[in-house]
Each structure stands twice: as structure tokens, then as C-alpha cells.
Amino acid sequence: LHLCDRRQRQMCIRDRYKGDRVMNALQDLIKTYASQYKEQVVEWRRHIHSHPELSGEEKNTSLFIQKVLGELGIPFVNDVSDYAVIGKIEGAHTGPVIALRADMDALPIHEITGLPFASQNEGVMHACGHDSHIAILLGAAAILQSIKDQLYGTVKLVFQPSEEEALFPGAQGIVDSGILDDIDEIYGLHVWPQLPVGTVGLKKGNLMAASDHFLVHIKGKSTHGAEPHNGVDAIVAAANWIVTVESMVARETNPMENLVCTIGVINGGDRYNVGCGDVYLEGTCRTYAPEKRDYIERRLGESLQALDVMFKTESTLDYKRGHGATINNPEAIDYATSIVEKYLGKDAVVHPEFPSMAAEDFSAYLHKIKGAFLWLGTGFEGNPALHNAAFTIDESILEPGITMMAAIAAEYLQEK
């Protein structure tokens, strides 16, 4: 019995040592390929940055991705949803299926970075870093294709259009297509200027908020500015309603709960001496809890009804629900943390204390598939926030980005 126990221990030690050697060899291989591909990834990123396309218009971006995947020998389909491209890398051995995702669309912003590869499409800019996301996923794909003989399973590469515009299918369109029904886990990333360059933000649970869009029409009655009593001033009514909305958030909501309501557009009036007859407002509400989402939609409507009684206006609310909340799976974050520590070092790991009230349609994947969304730090002195006309990245983050994403997939597809 003692001899059997000793032999079992020796076999376990030998198997563990063999496994460690394999994993260390894989780590060296991924890092070597990442170093080899980094300049190419920079070129891809700069090309994509120079040719941004808005949500629903990503035709040339999609064609570029297809071209690169073809050159890498990676099969793909492009008939899933709008301009989406889904690549597929099959390992030499059977096993689970993991997906990696990048978004493709740009924003209607006039770029002022002054970069030599700045946008060539007037009024359109990759101000949210999606150019980097595409380049990183292409780089990870190149690495994984190079080591596919060592993979036990399959990697699906999800290049997704229309993340910025909830009116288009985006992530939900890909989910609804069924092409990801065989996926075991999914991972994605977003460049994040609030974190130092090269660090990775890994947060369990709530990460990014649900995002809704509302449109309000407050209809009054125009009159001469010298005779306000003969009309119904929609501007005065709108001003009161704005204060009411802010008061609801400040005085009806537990300050420990996540709720933001911002009115970003207000249009009304034709001339300085005419009482305004119509005001149009647009805004957004950000929440995490479904009941809080229901609450703010209901209260916006109720407050407009009260406004009409008080000011004799006629108001309408068009409340459009957008992306759901992005909520990370704790086990997936634990796994991603282990990969970042192993490949980029423990100093690269950041566990953000608070979630963001910004939104991401990666939530559509996480509502159905186990996985996690990560933040890749690109915060350096003077770099503005996302969606700013001067936003850019420190290109040194591209190599750790492709290393991390390739490693997440490759280590997941090792022999268990």
C-alpha cells in the first residue's frame, strides 16, 4: 500500500511537471509570436483608424477584416448580421469553443488629433478605440492560427458592427443568428483611458450600465413675447421639467443605487421676442437594476403628465430601451486575472472599485454566454476621455493586448 501511494505521488508529480513544461512552452510561444506580430498590428490599427465608418456603414472595414483573415488562412462567414465577420480557428484536437470579440464602428466626430494617420472620412472618427479592438483581435487571431496544432477545441473570432448605435442589431443580431450557440465562454476588451497604460481592469459583477434613450416633445402655444399670457410658454415648462427630473434622481433614488439621467439635447424657439410653442429634448438614462430601469421610465412619463396639468402643455415621451447592463461572470474574471498575472505580470492587474455608467452591447453576449469584458488601460498624461475628438491610444498597449487575448483562448483550449 505504501509503495502504491508513493508511485501515485511520483506519477502525479511527473504529470504536473510535464503539464507545467507544456504551459511554460505555450507562454513562451505566444509571447514570441506577439513580439513578431506587433508591428503588423500597429499597421492594421493605423489603416483602420484612417478609414472609420459609422454604425451600419462598416462595409469597407468588414472587407478589410475579411482580407486579413484570408491572408492568415482563417476561414470566416460574413452573412450573419449586417457587416459582421465571424472567423473560426479549429484546433488539431477536439474540445470546447471559446469566442473573442471586437467591435468595428466609429463615431460622428471630427478628429483633431493631428496624427499622420488621422481619419480620411470627414466628420467620422474612431474616438472610442474600436480601431484598436479590431487590430488586437486580428493580432490574437494570427497568433492562435500559428499555434492551432496545440489547441484542444475551437476559437470563434467575432468582429461585430454597430456597437455605438442601439438602433442597429449589433451584438444582439449576432446572438439572435445562432452562430454562437455552441460557445462555452466569450471574452472582449475595451481600451480605457481611466487606467494606466498597459494595465488591465478586471471587475466581477457590474461593469457597464444599461443605456436607454428618451425623446420628449413639450407642446405649448406660441405668442408675442410681450404678451405671454396669451400663449403657453414651452421653454418655461421645459425648464421646470428638467429640474423635476434632476430632483427625482437626487431625492427619490437611494444614493447607493446606480442611476444617471442626463438631458443632452434641448431645442426650442424661433425668435427672441416670440413665446416658444414647442420644445424638443433628448436624453439618456443609465441603470443596472431592472426595477430601477422600470422606475425611471415610469417616472419620466408621470412627471410629464403633471407638467401638462400645471402648465397646460401637451407632452409626449418616446422611451427607447438600448443595451442591457454588462455584468461579468466571477469565474471568468478569476480565469482572466490568472492569465493577465501570468503573461503581463501581477502589476498589470487592476480591480476597479466602481463600475462605469457607460454602456456596452457586449452585455447581449453575457446575458446568454459565460464570459467577461476587460478594460485595457491607455491612460497617459493629457489623453482625453473616450468619445473626445482628440482621443488616441498609446500604441505600446497593442502587444500586451494581443498577448492577453491570444493567451485567454489558447490556455482555455489546452488538454484538461
Side-chain angles (χ1 to χ4, degrees), residues 139-246:
I143 296 172
L144 293 165
Q145 177 72 351
S146 300
I147 62 172
K148 65 180 182 179
D149 288 347
Q150 300 185 34
L151 303 182
Y152 289 75
T154 301
V155 184
K156 287 193 175 180
L157 310 163
V158 181
F159 295 91
Q160 176 215 306
S162 302
E163 187 277 327
E164 296 288 356
E165 181 50 75
L167 296 178
F168 294 100
Q172 193 62 55
I174 293 174
V175 170
D176 291 343
S177 74
I179 197 167
L180 301 183
D181 285 353
D182 59 345
I183 297 297
D184 294 288
E185 296 193 21
I186 186 167
Y187 293 83
L189 62 75
H190 203 299
V191 294
W192 208 249
Q194 288 90 339
L195 294 177
V197 169
T199 60
V200 180
L202 302 118
K203 189 177 188 309
K204 297 180 180 180
N206 291 348
L207 183 74
M208 302 185 77
S211 172
D212 298 334
H213 176 200
F214 63 84
L215 300 94
V216 169
H217 176 202
I218 298 175
K219 182 175 179 58
K221 179 182 177 182
S222 63
T223 184
H224 195 292
E227 300 175 343
H229 58 287
N230 289 329
V232 176
D233 195 327
I235 285 181
V236 172
N240 277 267
W241 186 71
I242 292 170
V243 173
T244 297
V245 172
E246 296 304 320

Side-chain angles (χ1 to χ4, degrees), residues 32-81:
T32 298
Y33 276 120
S35 179
Q36 291 177 4
Y37 281 117
K38 65 181 180 181
E39 295 303 324
Q40 178 64 75
V41 172
V42 170
E43 288 183 22
W44 286 335
R45 182 254 166 171
R46 292 183 177 185
H47 172 84
I48 298 163
H49 188 89
S50 296
H51 302 87
E53 295 175 299
L54 297 175
S55 302
E57 301 177 9
E58 304 98 326
K59 178 181 178 180
N60 292 322
T61 304
S62 179
L63 290 173
F64 177 77
I65 292 167
Q66 294 172 47
K67 174 178 175 291
V68 174
L69 291 180
E71 292 171 348
L72 293 172
I74 298 173
F76 61 85
V77 295
N78 63 340
D79 57 354
V80 175
S81 177

Side-chain angles (χ1 to χ4, degrees), residues 5 34 43 60 139 157 202 250 254 268 310 313 316 334:
D5 289 343
E43 288 183 22
N60 292 322
L157 310 163
L202 302 118
N254 185 330
M310 184 174 181
T313 51
T316 59
D334 284 339

Side-chain angles (χ1 to χ4, degrees), residues 101 188-190 207-208 326 328 333 360 362 372-375:
R101 174 269 203 172
L189 62 75
H190 203 299
L207 183 74
M208 302 185 77
T326 301
N328 281 331
I333 285 293
E360 237 295 340
F362 195 81
F373 197 61
L374 317 177
W375 289 338

Side-chain angles (χ1 to χ4, degrees), residues 258-280:
N258 302 101
L259 173 61
V260 170
C261 191
T262 296
I263 297 169
V265 174
I266 178 168
N267 290 309
D270 299 306
R271 182 174 164 82
Y272 77 98
N273 65 345
V274 176
C276 177
D278 295 276
V279 171
Y280 300 88

